Amino acid sequence: MIVEMRKGASSEEIDSVVEKAKSLGLDVQLNLGIEKAVVAILGSNTGQLPTELFAVLSGVENVTRIMKPYKLASRGFKEEDSLVSVDGIEIGGRRIVVMAGPCAVESEEQLVEAARVVKECGACILRGGAFKPRTSPFSFQGMGESGLKLLARTKEQLGLPVITEVIESQDVGLVSKYADILQVGSRNMQNFALLTNIGKSRCPVVLKRGFSCTVTEWLTAADYLLAGGNNQVILCERGIRTFEDSTRFSLDISSIPVIKNSSHLPIIVDPSHAAGHYSLVPAIAKAAVAAGADGLLIEVHPNPKEALVDGLQSLSPSDFARLMEELRAIAKSVGRYI
Amino acid sequence: MIVEMRKGASSEEIDSVVEKAKSLGLDVQLNLGIEKAVVAILGSNTGQLPTELFAVLSGVENVTRIMKPYKLASRGFKEEDSLVSVDGIEIGGRRIVVMAGPCAVESEEQLVEAARVVKECGACILRGGAFKPRTSPFSFQGMGESGLKLLARTKEQLGLPVITEVIESQDVGLVSKYADILQVGSRNMQNFALLTNIGKSRCPVVLKRGFSCTVTEWLTAADYLLAGGNNQVILCERGIRTFEDSTRFSLDISSIPVIKNSSHLPIIVDPSHAAGHYSLVPAIAKAAVAAGADGLLIEVHPNPKEALVDGLQSLSPSDFARLMEELRAIAKSVGRYI
Amino acid sequence: MIVEMRKGASSEEIDSVVEKAKSLGLDVQLNLGIEKAVVAILGSNTGQLPTELFAVLSGVENVTRIMKPYKLASRGFKEEDSLVSVDGIEIGGRRIVVMAGPCAVESEEQLVEAARVVKECGACILRGGAFKPRTSPFSFQGMGESGLKLLARTKEQLGLPVITEVIESQDVGLVSKYADILQVGSRNMQNFALLTNIGKSRCPVVLKRGFSCTVTEWLTAADYLLAGGNNQVILCERGIRTFEDSTRFSLDISSIPVIKNSSHLPIIVDPSHAAGHYSLVPAIAKAAVAAGADGLLIEVHPNPKEALVDGLQSLSPSDFARLMEELRAIAKSVGRYI
Amino acid sequence: MIVEMRKGASSEEIDSVVEKAKSLGLDVQLNLGIEKAVVAILGSNTGQLPTELFAVLSGVENVTRIMKPYKLASRGFKEEDSLVSVDGIEIGGRRIVVMAGPCAVESEEQLVEAARVVKECGACILRGGAFKPRTSPFSFQGMGESGLKLLARTKEQLGLPVITEVIESQDVGLVSKYADILQVGSRNMQNFALLTNIGKSRCPVVLKRGFSCTVTEWLTAADYLLAGGNNQVILCERGIRTFEDSTRFSLDISSIPVIKNSSHLPIIVDPSHAAGHYSLVPAIAKAAVAAGADGLLIEVHPNPKEALVDGLQSLSPSDFARLMEELRAIAKSVGRYI
């Protein structure tokens, strides 16, 4: 941490910074420049210290953190890539893992039909929401536990592992009983009670990026999961909120190489929520694979026009089949396969 | 809702839009322009319908919602200003209600000292957090229930009603036992499970704006509380996330008149979290009152340099005393008082 | 244009909207809903009319534009893809056109060396800035006309057409004398005087997206060029400003399919300015090609460590050579070539 | 500047950083932590050096600038507040200076009528645009020089100094002949050619903040003006672009105290462009004065419903008269006057 003193700060003010650092067990190196003094504070866990501890002291102009606030999710902590394994399917390896299915579980017929389609096209994990966080209280809120049961039954029938969202910390146990992968939605990325509970479980988890959270905050949220002992963590980029309004969110394609540089965790991409419109999904999905994503989470509905939720961003079976063909070519061109 | 058809859309495509509307019990008016057809869909609850129902149909280019997605929070639904009453203190009336105190409850001594200071200076509600949602799992997470007990004891001692945050839906009952006002934090504005549970309670609630949520989404979240029957709802602007990095968040001062135009609910402002630095708090607090805010939520710590959380944005007792003097002058100039 | 009246608007107020529309030669269709009246205003150029003309009238609640404000750049205006031809190189066709070179022209030696490298690796257009818009007045501002002359000489020597930036409207003539493609920088996307002058020229032009401009504003700016008669327009996505700070800007990958849907103009991508760091450039470049970009604009410097401007985001010759190999594979996988 | 080396950086890599610094005439202090080395680079002008000079060297992980990139506009450079004087009116002193008038000069009648109204209500400077930068080429572009002449004539008649926008560097001489204050619009804040030319003039200038520029970039742009010798510089906050869509831009109220801390230059606020709607202008204007702004720039039109440009955000004469009364009360409450 670098503490920059104000021009003309007194030696008492500088001393109080040095003492604060020492009281926290940290090393200090003092740079007395011509215009202002700068105090470098050294130690192995300065990333986890709030900068305010020093910024609040009198005579201090600015405090800059050199170390990142996340630790367990960082490449510095673990150099080699992490692999997450789900029913023998490895996420983070050479295979591009495609998870697909409807936004919400609506009925057995819809779910089984969707599962059949996505399996035929080469997806290896089935997605489907039973608990749906909805912006308006007047919208369809999901089927709840009966939706989870349909997911489990479909899994048995077709042999596709299942990913579904958990939205409350008290439901972690319930959802884990049925799901192979828990999904933490964008609005819950900083629901720390939920993260803490999932951290205690050993169920693989997809942590979606908060739509207004930085990569640094995202990896710090991942630390909540890892700190609890759950190291089956997959990150999922799904678009951030910007001023641009031609898409629902702006997919942050650069976050893929940034994560690959900074973290050992696998990262997948959800092009459907970012785009908000089915016609944009294929281009974004292809870009994600080309940029190095380890997988995709795609909404597919047997009949998007009848979908209860997010029909507009769902691919039809034939669109999905075509996209999978195109993705295979892209995957091959970057030395991977689907 | 306005459904704009693509140039050259067929009459079958137009018909399918009309039929969809009729199947939902809505009226339709058809405008056949020279270049393209436009279908206006009329009805009293089109604000609550997803635009996708139509956008997904073939031949449709664009769907625009004319009615807002929120309903109960709107001025259209209730024209006169709502007042929220807490121990005889009215929020939303002529009085500017100042809620102040430390970010986190740290000890009895700290809390009582803070309460004394803020009461002396004219604040009429004590703030203090017992459950703290923290970005990093390695930071202080609050005192929990023992913090709530300290709040209740301090209230008894000094006669100041108390506002404190609830972060989990299962804790709503527990926190309501001790608190006079529940606070929903920015990161929980779209935690719909939490909102639903608070909606069932009758405890006054401050709903902080999600730092990346629009005013429309904020009022739609308020609908979750109101739909449950809890109409003791106070909105709180606390800054939004933008590209600007000289402050922690950018306080959206315009949201005050926007809310006053669109909603009947009272609105207060938290200048401390927006600013992130004590030196900026007074200017923002004064601006909020001048712009029409009904109250303020300000962090004050007996000794900011020793604060465990957010010391940098906390006012010292003397700074707070000075600010309250200045606020009294501003309040008077806009025909209100503190 | 859809004019939504306030609940309870008087019939005089509705009439004044209708009259305003008629005075502008527009057709009107009136929808009298149960709760509020809605006036649809129809005509072929309502996209170019300011919504304020109606929003300012009394009794009006909201005005929504149905038609886009841009016209000449839209697919509605011209359905088939536009091709821009530079010295026999077609931009917007099956070939992915790679433009590469140093950010700034620094010396003949540097430029010729860079040109040789990029040509060898398969780039077909040389980039290099002679006029540099710099954030600080104390930074290197470019070589000016002598830089242009070096570009022209290098072109002659190596047979590579040249793209360079023009930053002032009075320089359009000068720069066109030396350059094969004019570049309008991000900060000048809404410099309408400059656009108007370039519109009068017949020189191909790359219009970079303003880093805080929407796709709609970008296409409307392109209308300035097209309205002047210059239809040799290439769009260039180079990242938008968001809250994310791990990259210099956030490349808006979705803008590629959005532009392909909305406009007939070719679009290229500048991964260097978006990323701000050479290590992120390859992933973004590959994603752009996979998403459908027609070309790339990449910074390459013979010795990035000695670059006067933007060395950090410049690829070294060996990094560029490796990237071009990877891009060839991606291009092939989407049915194109380099 | 703080150069943080990668974990495990070699001593050669560290040396190359030290040498680079020395070659630039800078002092160096080396901190060898347990986990990584950190090099502090000291000198009086490190704010003006690009961080890339070091970031590009091998073994470097991150470079943080401690000093700000602006210099002449900073409080460090000049401690006491700057005053700008226009025809005896001082901007930056105790008086709140209100500049008001129509967005665009449309005719002599309109301008004189507007000028009379704003003068009667207590505004002391007349605003009016002759050159209008418009988003679409099909919109009204202003009256040009004949508009300037009308401004000058109105000034003579009523004795109100005049502020008007200059949009091209070649027009600086022309506009200065007629105007008392030059205005640089938001889209031109980083038009460095324009800034350089105005820097050479001695005409007072209002520098509007780019709607997507940080405070730091804004003050760095002011350095262009000051570096040329023009120290009659007034800053103007006019709203930044964010995701919020209920207002045209989000007025960054916190920028007022931030500027007051960081710079000696006066700052005024334009509530009209931020709001985009007349009904929101008064609340924002009052907030600006309460927060410490030195003046306001407000759009007033004798008949907003007939305005050619921005009628929706213009106040009518009676609305403006009422606002001025309210502003007088606020000004008094913060120890100032209008």
Side-chain angles (χ1 to χ4, degrees), chain C:
Chain C
M1 213 175 283
I2 304 296
V3 179
E4 175 198 9
M5 305 301 296
R6 243 170 239 151
K7 221 169 120 175
S10 70
S11 60
E12 286 75 30
E13 288 174 328
I14 299 174
D15 285 354
S16 77
V17 169
V18 172
E19 272 156 40
K20 182 81 173 188
K22 289 190 172 160
S23 78
L24 294 161
L26 301 165
D27 278 345
V28 161
Q29 210 144 354
L30 197 60
N31 302 301
L32 296 170
I34 305 159
E35 300 216 347
K36 45 175 74 174
V38 172
V39 187
I41 292 172
L42 307 166
S44 63
N45 72 334
T46 54
Q48 279 73 53
L49 286 178
T51 53
E52 306 181 296
L53 288 175
F54 297 96
V56 80
L57 299 178
S58 76
V60 171
E61 177 145 331
N62 200 31
V63 182
T64 310
R65 205 202 299 271
I66 294 294
M67 293 182 76
K68 298 289 188 188
Y70 54 86
K71 188 173 170 174
L72 310 176
S74 73
R75 263 219 197 272
F77 184 77
K78 175 166 181 284
E79 206 148 338
E80 68 283 12
D81 286 350
S82 286
L83 295 176
V84 175
S85 183
V86 177
D87 265 16
I89 300 160
E90 237 171 38
I91 299 149
R94 274 195 59 234
R95 182 179 187 178
I96 306 286
V97 176
V98 178
M99 313 181 184
C103 182
V105 177
E106 297 168 13
S107 70
E108 180 150 18
E109 197 194 343
Q110 170 243 22
L111 188 64
V112 171
E113 176 58 15
R116 245 187 220 124
V117 163
V118 303
K119 190 180 179 184
E120 255 174 50
C121 296
C124 54
I125 293 175
L126 175 65
R127 63 152 292 156
F131 296 101
K132 300 301 305 171
R134 302 304 303 281
T135 309
S136 161
F138 309 112
S139 303
F140 172 60
Q141 311 273 326
M143 290 182 73
E145 189 169 358
S146 62
L148 294 176
K149 286 180 179 160
L150 284 184
L151 282 166
R153 216 178 305 153
T154 308
K155 178 193 171 171
E156 255 173 64
Q157 222 178 308
L158 294 176
L160 275 183
V162 154
I163 173 170
T164 197
E165 183 165 355
V166 53
I167 61 179
E168 279 223 78
S169 60
Q170 65 197 35
D171 293 342
V172 172
L174 174 73
V175 180
S176 312
K177 275 204 323 201
Y178 298 101
D180 300 286
I181 309 180
L182 299 175
Q183 178 183 315
V184 177
S186 184
R187 283 165 187 78
N188 277 320
M189 192 202 89
Q190 294 194 320
N191 182 335
F192 304 115
L194 178 62
L195 299 182
T196 302
N197 265 18
I198 298 177
K200 289 177 198 153
S201 117
R202 290 300 168 267
C203 188
V205 52
V206 161
L207 179 65
K208 285 197 161 185
R209 179 178 182 180
F211 61 72
S212 279
C213 291
T214 61
V215 167
T216 295
E217 290 169 334
W218 189 14
L219 291 174
T220 308
D223 263 12
Y224 265 94
L225 298 168
L226 297 163
N230 187 342
N231 53 21
Q232 299 286 89
V233 178
I234 303 157
L235 302 168
C236 179
E237 162 68 29
R238 47 78 72 206
I240 58 174
R241 183 160 274 184
T242 70
F243 61 83
E244 175 58 40
D245 58 3
S246 64
T247 44
R248 200 159 160 181
F249 293 93
S250 298
L251 191 102
D252 183 11
I253 193 82
S254 316
S255 71
I256 301 170
V258 168
I259 287 287
K260 288 289 173 196
N261 282 351
S262 319
S263 178
H264 53 87
L265 297 173
I267 177 171
I268 65 172
V269 165
D270 173 350
S272 308
H273 280 86
H277 196 280
Y278 61 89
S279 69
L280 307 170
V281 169
I284 302 175
K286 288 185 275 182
V289 173
D294 297 305
L296 294 165
L297 188 60
I298 300 178
E299 296 197 354
V300 178
H301 194 283
N303 185 358
K305 293 183 194 174
E306 300 301 327
L308 295 181
V309 183
D310 283 349
L312 187 58
Q313 68 198 33
S314 296
L315 296 184
S316 67
S318 61
D319 285 346
F320 182 63
R322 194 176 322 114
L323 172 58
M324 288 295 281
E325 277 318 301
E326 295 175 352
L327 288 172
R328 275 192 191 93
I330 304 264
K332 201 178 151 197
S333 78
V334 293
R336 301 178 83 164
Y337 69 97
I338 289 187

Side-chain angles (χ1 to χ4, degrees), chain D residues 73-117:
Chain D
S74 73
R75 260 212 202 275
F77 183 76
K78 174 166 180 287
E79 206 149 337
E80 68 282 11
D81 285 350
S82 287
L83 294 176
V84 174
S85 184
V86 177
D87 265 16
I89 299 160
E90 237 173 37
I91 298 149
R94 274 196 58 235
R95 182 178 187 179
I96 305 287
V97 176
V98 178
M99 314 180 183
C103 183
V105 178
E106 297 169 12
S107 70
E108 178 150 19
E109 198 195 343
Q110 171 243 23
L111 188 63
V112 172
E113 177 59 15
R116 247 187 219 124
V117 162

Side-chain angles (χ1 to χ4, degrees), chain A residues 48 52 55 134-138 141 168-170 187 190-193 212 217 220 223-224 241 310 312, chain B residues 48 52 55 134-138 141 168-170 187 190-193 212 217 220 223-224 241 310 312:
Chain A
Q48 279 73 53
E52 307 181 295
R134 302 304 303 281
T135 309
S136 161
F138 308 112
Q141 312 273 325
E168 281 224 77
S169 62
Q170 65 198 36
R187 284 165 187 78
Q190 295 194 319
N191 182 335
F192 303 116
S212 280
E217 290 168 335
T220 309
D223 262 12
Y224 264 94
R241 182 159 276 185
D310 283 348
L312 187 57
Chain B
Q48 279 73 53
E52 306 180 298
R134 302 304 303 282
T135 310
S136 161
F138 308 112
Q141 311 272 325
E168 279 224 79
S169 62
Q170 65 197 37
R187 283 167 187 76
Q190 295 194 319
N191 183 334
F192 303 116
S212 280
E217 289 168 336
T220 308
D223 263 13
Y224 265 94
R241 183 159 274 184
D310 282 349
L312 188 57

Side-chain angles (χ1 to χ4, degrees), chain D residues 26-277:
Chain D
L26 300 165
D27 278 344
V28 162
Q29 210 145 354
L30 196 59
N31 303 301
L32 297 170
I34 305 158
E35 299 216 347
K36 47 175 73 175
V38 172
V39 187
I41 292 171
L42 308 167
S44 63
N45 72 334
T46 54
Q48 279 74 52
L49 286 178
T51 52
E52 306 181 298
L53 288 175
F54 297 97
V56 79
L57 299 178
S58 75
V60 171
E61 176 145 332
N62 201 32
V63 182
T64 309
R65 206 201 299 272
I66 293 294
M67 293 182 76
K68 299 289 188 187
Y70 55 85
K71 186 174 172 175
L72 310 177
S74 73
R75 260 212 202 275
F77 183 76
K78 174 166 180 287
E79 206 149 337
E80 68 282 11
D81 285 350
S82 287
L83 294 176
V84 174
S85 184
V86 177
D87 265 16
I89 299 160
E90 237 173 37
I91 298 149
R94 274 196 58 235
R95 182 178 187 179
I96 305 287
V97 176
V98 178
M99 314 180 183
C103 183
V105 178
E106 297 169 12
S107 70
E108 178 150 19
E109 198 195 343
Q110 171 243 23
L111 188 63
V112 172
E113 177 59 15
R116 247 187 219 124
V117 162
V118 303
K119 190 181 179 184
E120 256 174 49
C121 296
C124 55
I125 292 174
L126 176 65
R127 64 151 292 156
F131 295 101
K132 301 299 307 170
R134 302 305 302 282
T135 310
S136 161
F138 308 112
S139 304
F140 172 60
Q141 312 271 324
M143 291 181 72
E145 189 170 358
S146 62
L148 293 177
K149 286 180 179 162
L150 284 184
L151 281 167
R153 217 179 304 153
T154 308
K155 178 194 169 171
E156 255 172 62
Q157 222 176 306
L158 293 176
L160 275 181
V162 155
I163 173 170
T164 198
E165 183 164 354
V166 53
I167 60 179
E168 278 224 79
S169 61
Q170 66 197 36
D171 293 341
V172 172
L174 174 74
V175 180
S176 312
K177 273 203 326 202
Y178 298 102
D180 300 287
I181 309 180
L182 300 174
Q183 178 183 313
V184 177
S186 183
R187 283 166 186 77
N188 277 320
M189 192 200 88
Q190 295 193 320
N191 182 335
F192 303 115
L194 179 61
L195 298 182
T196 301
N197 265 17
I198 297 177
K200 289 178 197 153
S201 118
R202 290 300 168 266
C203 189
V205 52
V206 162
L207 179 65
K208 285 197 159 185
R209 178 177 182 180
F211 61 71
S212 280
C213 291
T214 62
V215 167
T216 295
E217 289 168 335
W218 191 11
L219 291 174
T220 309
D223 262 12
Y224 264 94
L225 298 168
L226 296 164
N230 187 342
N231 52 21
Q232 299 286 89
V233 177
I234 303 158
L235 302 169
C236 179
E237 161 68 30
R238 47 76 74 205
I240 57 174
R241 183 159 274 185
T242 70
F243 61 82
E244 174 58 42
D245 59 2
S246 64
T247 44
R248 200 157 159 182
F249 293 93
S250 299
L251 191 101
D252 183 10
I253 194 80
S254 317
S255 70
I256 302 170
V258 168
I259 287 287
K260 289 291 174 195
N261 283 351
S262 319
S263 176
H264 53 87
L265 298 172
I267 176 170
I268 65 172
V269 164
D270 173 349
S272 309
H273 280 85
H277 197 279

Side-chain angles (χ1 to χ4, degrees), chain B residues 251-320:
Chain B
L251 190 102
D252 183 11
I253 193 80
S254 316
S255 71
I256 302 170
V258 168
I259 287 287
K260 289 291 173 195
N261 282 351
S262 320
S263 177
H264 53 87
L265 298 172
I267 176 170
I268 65 172
V269 164
D270 173 350
S272 309
H273 280 85
H277 197 279
Y278 63 88
S279 70
L280 306 171
V281 168
I284 301 175
K286 289 186 275 182
V289 173
D294 297 306
L296 293 165
L297 188 61
I298 301 178
E299 296 197 352
V300 178
H301 194 284
N303 185 357
K305 294 182 193 175
E306 300 300 328
L308 295 180
V309 183
D310 282 349
L312 188 57
Q313 69 198 34
S314 296
L315 296 185
S316 68
S318 62
D319 284 346
F320 182 62

